[in-house]
Amino acid sequence: MSSVTVVASLLVLLYTPLAGACQIQPDANGAAATASNGQPFPWNSMRLPDHVLPLHYDLLIHPNLTSLDFTGEVSIKMAVQEDTSTIILHSKDLQIYDAALLKSDGSVGGPLQVLEYPAFQQIALLSDGVLFRAGDVYSVHLKFAAKLSESFHGFYKSSYRTSQGEVRFLASTQFEPTSARAAFPCFDEPAFKSSFSIRIRREGRHIALSNMPKIKTLTVPGGLLEDHFDVTVRMSTYLVAYIVSDFQSISKTSEHGIKISVYTIPEKIGQADFALRAAARLLDFYDDYFDIPYPLPKQDLAAIPDFQSGAMENWGLTTYRETALLFDPEKSSASDKLGITMIIAHELAHQWFGNLVTMQWWNDLWLNEGFAKFMEFVSVNITNPELQVEDYFLGKCFEAMEVDSLPSSHPVSTPVENPAQIQEMFDDVSYDKGACILHMLRDFLTPEAFKLGIVRYLKKYSFHNTVSGHLWESLTNICDSDGMDEGRFKGYASCSRPGTTTGASKWYAEDELDVKAVMETWTLQEGFPLVTAEVKGHEVKLSQERFLKSDKPSHTSEFLWQVPLTYITSDSSTLHRFLLTTRTDVLYLPAEVEWIKFNVDMSGYYVVHYNSASWDALANLLQRNHTALSSNDRASLINNVFQLVSVGKVSLDRALDLSLYLSKETEIMPVTQGLHELVPLYKLMEKRDMHHLENQMKGYIVQLFRDLIDRQAWSDEGSVSQRMLRSYLLLFACVRGHPPCVDKASKLFQKWKESDGSMSLPNDVSLAVFAVGARTEEGWDFLLEKYKQSLYSSLKSRIKSALTISPLDYKLKWLMEQSLEGEVLKTQDLPYVVSSVSRNPKGYKHAWDFLRANWETLIKKFDLGSHSISHMVIAVTSQYSTREMLDEVRGFFGSLTEEKGAGLRCIQQAYENIEENIRWMDKNLPLLQAWLNRHGLQTQINN
């Protein structure tokens, strides 16, 4: 599953990066379970027993898109592992009105009693005098009915408005992680893999889609049609999917013979071609890279008008937000092209990582999501080199570290039980940290050895479930044949690498590297290390501790990592390696050096601190000859030095002094990272009404980047990185009121408005133009009208973003209210709207009031524990820095019951963010004022 990052990535430079999702703590309850009818319920665990295993589901679904409900029937064939009198499975909000045991010939063998236990979303099937015996196979048949869900999960309704104003409905599924049970009774845990035969009844004006190709259509009573789909491969319930709609499609066949189709509402089918071509390239790439043929005959990609996350990897029928799939060369930006390609790459990587090989339980979700996030970059770097994806991977690691540096973080692999806990595993730790530690491991082992290991892993565990240890085993002894690879690993250069290590490297200190021992320090404990390097002559004293933003004692202070250090020096651009396995160690250099830079290209998931002389040397190098270091090295120095200010290791003066070099910078990663570190400083002041210092800080940032901003062309020319940098800079400059930018954008907006929106604006600069236009009521209303009329998702996204940046506070309130209502703006966009308004100096108080006033509605619509909820909680609270606001935030969240979210991890993160902001302001505010005064920076008048 993908999160939405396409247009939002343009705005993140203006605001503090969001922390990831939150998590509910387990609630152990040993009380006896009672069914809804008052009878004892025969099972009292959130997890299903494993004494009955599903073999096959025969599922019939009939949605009614007029009454917006559905009926269904399911026959489940099961193998009994232990003698039992009951069958326990999942069901949520389903009315089960008939249950029977089937004989071997398919006839009814007798009724079954159904006991319901809604607290665990379970049902029990039992029959007087019937014992289900170990070794035997049984089938049960259930009939059920329910309303189509009003949320974004289960079997839910979606709608769209045609250009003629007609509202049309469709029904689609979103089952991950625990919502298949809301669509049909099932064993809704990832380890209960099974095959599925799916039939769907529909009206003739609709089509039906599912995981497999349609094999026939029958006419049934009532003038309906019944589509029969081919039997699926063995898979988990969360990957089942079906859609009933009036979609149209375009198709092509991949080089490996797979039929690929993109489905969308009829009026947007002209925007499907880019995704179709990208999917064909990427599916062929994965087929070759993993050396495992894609196991299904088709791959459909469907754009759903209402969709909570970014996309979903249902096997053979991946589903997407419209903004994550639809592209128009005349309306879409470089950011759109990159975002759409990456999301498709993510979902198609899941067809192997997640679908073919699935984690045993949700505690190892990172095996799915971390790998898919990582493979986005590996695949797109090869299939679409023009997108320059390597420029953006670093940002994912920085985002993960924001969450992972807080006391409330969790290990990559962490115990979870209930649905809300599982939902909250879909966060920056599972996705981005997972990807970053895999990137580090790949660099550690060499790309060749890493690839061989993951291919071995996929082949060995195809159609099965795994835990993290299975991956580490597959990546150990990589040069030995295991019978699956015919010994072909022996020919790879990396297999002889242990014998060729040289110099100070401790990379392969032993005969065989213990991958499991190294990687479990990164997956079984939260956080990441701060490595301190003190250089004295030939000697570098190394030490490690947890990088933790807290002033309270922590049990994690004893954590120890095995850290694959890399470094370059002023004397050698050759990459040197050193495996730090102890709390302290000493590295010996062949000669004294002018400077040393650890964590080359930030390939490792750790922060580095240097002694004073080494920081001075690196700062001088950046001022004198910044291109002596790679752009990723420069970005990591900017990130590290400001993060070290937060934990009191480095003075704010040193960090700001180092930032002065940015006036010479032209590369996207160091520039955007500079903005990520500097902009949040004045965002804190906005919420304290410290206008003079706030404007001084804004003035410094604009002055720092003024030359680069003024050199930007108002066009769509250049490489993808150049175009995205242009979007970042011009949006920043216009929102900050930089006169040349505002003047140019105002003129372009006026011309666009006079043409009634028909004039073609350069897509990469249009957000800056719209943001300036939205400053007036007339401009804001015109943009809203164009938003309502447009069929182009990318254009609508940029207009929506501009509307949330406006200084018109009454418009911001209206925008949030309308997003909740769902008529003018889709409710799926509400988390983004609330978060964006919360970062607006004219809107942050309204966003906090809105979140509190509508909390119960929000957790019902978006699900307790979802990333959408945590996204809003963190965004709305993350820039407060006073004890008064901390008390107010604690007062609201502290009044919630457990059922309303009292235990959410993101609430704890919100407290910790505010506490960190208070500490930062208490310590650094006078230093910041003095530094700005010392550098003669004038207050910037424009806001």
Side-chain angles (χ1 to χ4, degrees):
M1 192 154 58
S2 295
S3 55
V4 183
T5 58
V6 185
V7 174
S9 65
L10 281 175
L11 292 175
V12 75
L13 74 153
L14 295 173
Y15 314 118
T16 302
L18 291 180
C22 39
Q23 180 166 354
I24 290 178
Q25 302 305 318
D27 178 21
N29 183 0
T34 303
S36 55
N37 66 354
Q39 287 183 230
F41 192 79
W43 186 248
N44 191 24
S45 172
M46 190 71 71
R47 298 281 298 274
L48 295 180
D50 57 7
H51 52 241
V52 177
L53 302 180
L55 301 175
H56 183 75
Y57 293 80
D58 198 323
L59 178 64
L60 169 64
I61 294 289
H62 176 203
N64 186 320
L65 296 184
T66 302
S67 57
L68 300 177
D69 52 19
F70 68 95
T71 56
E73 299 180 24
V74 65
S75 295
I76 311 174
K77 186 178 181 182
M78 300 166 292
V80 178
Q81 308 299 301
E82 299 176 16
D83 287 358
T84 180
S85 58
T86 61
I87 297 167
I88 311 294
L89 63 162
H90 285 112
S91 175
K92 180 187 177 186
D93 299 331
L94 297 174
Q95 179 192 350
I96 299 172
Y97 57 88
D98 187 51
L101 187 64
L102 298 183
K103 296 179 180 178
S104 57
D105 63 358
S107 61
V108 174
L112 290 169
Q113 184 185 7
V114 180
L115 297 179
E116 298 181 339
Y117 188 45
F120 285 1
Q121 301 172 3
Q122 292 171 356
I123 57 172
L125 305 178
L126 56 161
S127 179
D128 291 339
V130 174
L131 179 71
F132 302 100
R133 296 192 177 278
D136 287 350
V137 173
Y138 297 85
S139 293
V140 296
H141 184 76
L142 305 171
K143 294 181 180 180
F144 53 93
K147 297 290 290 183
L148 287 171
S149 173
E150 295 282 342
S151 66
F152 299 99
H153 43 269
F155 193 27
Y156 70 95
K157 71 167 187 178
S158 176
S159 65
Y160 70 93
R161 191 181 299 272
T162 69
S163 55
Q164 285 76 41
E166 178 192 358
V167 175
R168 295 183 182 179
F169 289 98
L170 60 133
S172 183
T173 57
Q174 170 62 47
F175 290 163
E176 190 181 32
T178 60
S179 290
R181 64 192 67 172
F184 60 98
C186 57
F187 296 82
D188 198 15
E189 294 180 7
F192 289 109
K193 289 194 171 187
S194 179
S195 57
F196 296 80
S197 296
I198 296 174
R199 295 170 289 146
I200 298 178
R201 286 186 184 162
R202 59 176 174 86
E203 297 179 57
R205 61 195 174 105
H206 294 131
I207 64 164
L209 301 171
S210 189
N211 304 84
M212 297 297 286
K214 183 173 66 177
I215 51 176
K216 64 181 177 182
T217 300
L218 305 178
T219 301
V220 294
L224 298 173
L225 300 175
E226 185 175 288
D227 292 329
H228 292 228
F229 296 90
D230 211 345
V231 181
T232 71
V233 295
R234 286 186 74 243
M235 64 185 194
S236 305
T237 48
Y238 77 87
L239 295 170
V240 173
Y242 36 87
I243 301 169
V244 176
S245 69
D246 65 346
F247 286 173
Q248 292 182 1
S249 67
I250 57 172
S251 304
K252 71 176 295 182
T253 302
S254 74
E255 291 182 5
H256 289 278
I258 306 301
K259 183 182 179 183
I260 301 173
S261 304
V262 177
Y263 287 83
T264 182
I265 66 171
E267 290 181 310
K268 296 184 179 180
I269 195 64
Q271 302 174 52
D273 185 65
F274 177 82
L276 182 66
R277 289 182 286 110
R281 275 195 310 274
L282 286 159
L283 200 67
D284 282 331
F285 167 81
Y286 287 132
D287 212 307
D288 294 332
Y289 184 90
F290 295 134
D291 193 32
I292 300 172
Y294 175 70
L296 305 188
K298 61 95 172 175
Q299 171 61 234
D300 296 336
L301 299 84
I304 311 299
D306 299 278
F307 203 84
Q308 184 170 343
S309 61
M312 176 61 206
E313 66 266 22
N314 316 300
W315 215 345
L317 175 55
T318 52
T319 47
Y320 303 77
R321 271 196 183 209
E322 291 183 332
T323 51
L325 195 67
L326 304 182
F327 181 91
D328 183 89
E330 300 301 316
K331 302 290 183 184
S332 300
S333 66
S335 176
D336 297 326
K337 179 179 286 190
L338 175 68
I340 290 168
T341 307
M342 296 292 274
I343 289 174
I344 294 172
H346 184 101
E347 303 314 323
L348 296 187
H350 272 311
Q351 308 302 297
W352 286 263
F353 277 103
N355 300 9
L356 184 66
V357 180
T358 313
M359 76 268 141
Q360 178 77 17
W361 179 245
W362 299 104
N363 63 302
D364 275 327
L365 174 68
W366 83 277
L367 288 173
N368 283 20
E369 298 300 349
F371 255 111
K373 177 62 68 175
F374 172 71
M375 288 306 301
E376 288 178 30
F377 290 88
V378 173
S379 61
V380 176
N381 189 42
I382 294 171
T383 61
N384 294 77
E386 78 284 357
L387 295 179
Q388 301 167 289
V389 292
E390 64 277 5
D391 286 347
Y392 312 105
F393 186 78
L394 200 57
K396 294 298 169 188
C397 303
F398 293 150
E399 288 172 22
M401 285 174 161
E402 281 290 317
V403 182
D404 213 15
S405 63
L406 297 175
S408 57
S409 186
H410 63 88
V412 168
S413 182
T414 197
V416 290
E417 272 209 354
N418 66 48
Q421 292 170 352
I422 293 166
Q423 278 269 15
E424 298 204 303
M425 285 297 288
F426 291 80
D427 67 356
D428 287 347
V429 172
S430 295
Y431 283 71
D432 295 340
K433 180 179 180 178
C436 293
I437 63 174
L438 288 170
H439 177 68
M440 179 172 66
L441 180 59
R442 182 178 185 239
D443 180 69
F444 187 24
L445 297 176
T446 74
E448 300 88 353
F450 179 82
K451 177 182 175 182
L452 291 170
I454 62 172
V455 169
R456 172 191 279 182
Y457 168 79
L458 288 172
K459 288 189 172 183
K460 185 173 182 178
Y461 297 105
S462 290
F463 301 106
H464 291 89
N465 297 82
T466 60
V467 296
S468 295
H470 294 135
L471 177 63
W472 309 143
E473 289 166 12
S474 298
L475 286 160
T476 301
N477 302 319
I478 201 67
C479 298
D480 296 337
S481 172
D482 61 3
M484 302 180 69
D485 47 71
E486 300 173 351
R488 68 182 184 276
F489 298 164
K490 296 291 185 185
Y492 279 78
S494 58
C495 287
S496 60
R497 182 172 170 181
T500 62
T501 53
T502 59
S505 173
K506 283 191 177 181
W507 208 250
Y508 292 92
E510 308 298 332
D511 290 338
E512 187 56 58
L513 185 69
D514 190 342
V515 173
K516 184 173 186 282
V518 172
M519 293 309 295
E520 283 190 344
T521 68
W522 298 93
T523 59
L524 298 183
Q525 53 191 21
E526 64 267 33
F528 58 91
L530 163 60
V531 175
T532 299
E534 292 189 47
V535 184
K536 291 184 180 178
H538 295 235
E539 195 175 273
V540 184
K541 291 183 178 179
L542 298 167
S543 62
Q544 62 162 298
E545 61 189 291
R546 183 181 175 191
F547 184 92
L548 184 64
K549 292 181 178 178
S550 174
D551 58 357
K552 298 169 186 170
S554 170
H555 72 282
T556 65
S557 60
E558 298 304 312
F559 282 1
L560 195 65
W561 287 264
Q562 294 201 26
V563 189
L565 298 177
T566 56
Y567 64 95
I568 54 175
T569 71
S570 53
D571 284 2
S572 173
S573 58
T574 302
L575 189 75
H576 299 275
R577 301 180 183 276
F578 188 97
L579 186 60
L580 179 64
T581 60
T582 52
R583 195 163 304 282
T584 61
D585 207 337
V586 179
L587 170 67
Y588 295 98
L589 302 172
E592 290 190 27
V593 295
E594 183 183 337
W595 55 264
I596 186 168
K597 167 66 173 68
F598 280 92
N599 203 359
V600 179
D601 286 334
M602 190 81 187
S603 60
Y605 187 73
Y606 56 94
V607 165
V608 183
H609 177 38
Y610 302 89
N611 57 330
S612 183
S614 295
W615 271 120
D616 288 342
L618 288 167
N620 290 336
L621 177 65
L622 290 174
Q623 281 289 355
R624 187 177 72 250
N625 180 23
H626 66 281
T627 56
L629 296 174
S630 70
S631 64
N632 273 4
D633 274 332
R634 302 193 306 265
S636 71
L637 283 174
I638 295 162
N639 169 271
N640 285 192
V641 76
F642 278 95
Q643 293 306 306
L644 288 164
V645 172
S646 295
V647 293
K649 296 287 187 181
V650 167
S651 71
L652 179 61
D653 282 9
R654 182 181 293 285
L656 290 169
D657 286 345
L658 185 140
S659 76
L660 288 166
Y661 107 88
L662 286 166
S663 63
K664 306 173 185 178
E665 189 58 80
T666 59
E667 298 290 328
I668 189 167
M669 273 311 300
V671 169
T672 54
Q673 195 57 40
L675 290 167
H676 276 305
E677 302 298 343
L678 293 168
V679 167
L681 305 191
Y682 75 70
K683 298 304 291 183
L684 291 174
M685 297 163 208
E686 282 181 345
K687 293 176 176 57
R688 282 196 178 190
D689 297 326
M690 306 174 70
H691 301 302
H692 177 76
L693 186 56
E694 170 197 332
N695 285 323
Q696 254 189 305
M697 189 64 204
K698 290 177 182 175
Y700 169 60
I701 302 171
V702 172
Q703 177 179 308
L704 199 59
F705 295 107
R706 183 189 304 272
D707 289 346
L708 188 58
I709 291 166
D710 291 345
R711 290 202 302 271
Q712 299 303 309
W714 290 70
S715 70
D716 286 338
E717 297 170 358
S719 68
V720 169
S721 285
Q722 289 169 335
R723 292 174 62 186
M724 289 183 64
L725 180 59
R726 178 184 303 134
S727 296
Y728 286 139
L729 287 170
L730 293 180
L731 177 62
F732 169 77
C734 282
V735 172
R736 290 287 63 79
H738 182 47
C741 186
V742 173
D743 182 58
K744 179 71 172 177
S746 297
K747 290 175 180 175
L748 283 173
F749 183 77
Q750 194 58 35
K751 289 181 180 177
W752 183 72
K753 184 168 173 288
E754 288 169 358
S755 74
D756 196 30
S758 63
M759 185 184 98
S760 180
L761 287 171
N763 294 310
D764 298 324
V765 304
S766 58
L767 180 51
V769 173
F770 296 156
V772 170
R775 290 182 165 198
T776 67
E777 182 171 10
E778 183 184 2
W780 199 95
D781 290 342
F782 180 78
L783 281 163
L784 180 63
E785 203 53 41
K786 293 298 131 187
Y787 176 91
K788 293 176 183 177
Q789 295 170 6
S790 178
L791 287 172
Y792 297 98
S793 302
S794 54
L795 177 60
K796 288 171 78 81
S797 288
R798 291 194 294 278
I799 293 175
K800 176 187 65 189
S801 299
L803 296 177
T804 66
I805 296 171
S806 172
L808 305 173
D809 66 335
Y810 58 98
K811 294 290 192 184
L812 301 176
K813 290 175 67 176
W814 182 88
L815 207 57
M816 290 188 291
E817 290 159 2
Q818 288 301 311
S819 298
L820 182 60
E821 193 174 302
E823 288 298 318
V824 179
L825 284 85
K826 288 281 190 181
T827 305
Q828 66 175 10
D829 295 326
L830 179 63
Y832 170 82
V833 170
V834 171
S835 300
S836 188
V837 169
S838 76
R839 297 185 292 259
N840 185 326
K842 301 295 186 182
Y844 69 90
K845 292 177 182 175
H846 298 312
W848 173 231
D849 291 342
F850 179 88
L851 183 74
R852 288 183 292 175
N854 295 285
W855 180 256
E856 292 195 22
T857 304
L858 294 173
I859 60 173
K860 184 177 180 181
K861 184 70 178 179
F862 292 103
D863 243 16
L864 198 62
S866 69
H867 189 268
S868 299
I869 294 296
S870 66
H871 185 76
M872 288 186 280
V873 169
I874 297 299
V876 167
T877 60
S878 64
Q879 288 160 9
Y880 288 126
S881 63
T882 65
R883 288 165 181 82
E884 292 76 16
M885 275 311 302
L886 178 59
D887 290 343
E888 188 172 309
V889 171
R890 284 189 184 278
F892 172 68
F893 289 122
S895 70
L896 300 177
T897 62
E898 198 71 29
E899 294 75 24
K900 300 293 173 60
L904 289 174
R905 183 182 298 259
C906 58
I907 292 173
Q908 187 60 37
Q909 288 175 343
Y911 299 157
E912 291 167 356
N913 282 331
I914 299 172
E915 289 166 350
E916 162 61 19
N917 292 341
I918 291 170
R919 286 193 300 273
W920 196 99
M921 294 289 268
D922 286 350
K923 180 175 182 179
N924 293 303
L925 208 55
L927 300 174
L928 179 61
Q929 180 72 76
W931 191 91
L932 292 171
N933 290 341
R934 194 161 61 245
H935 286 76
L937 292 159
Q938 300 302 308
T939 299
Q940 186 192 31
I941 302 301
N942 299 299
N943 275 314

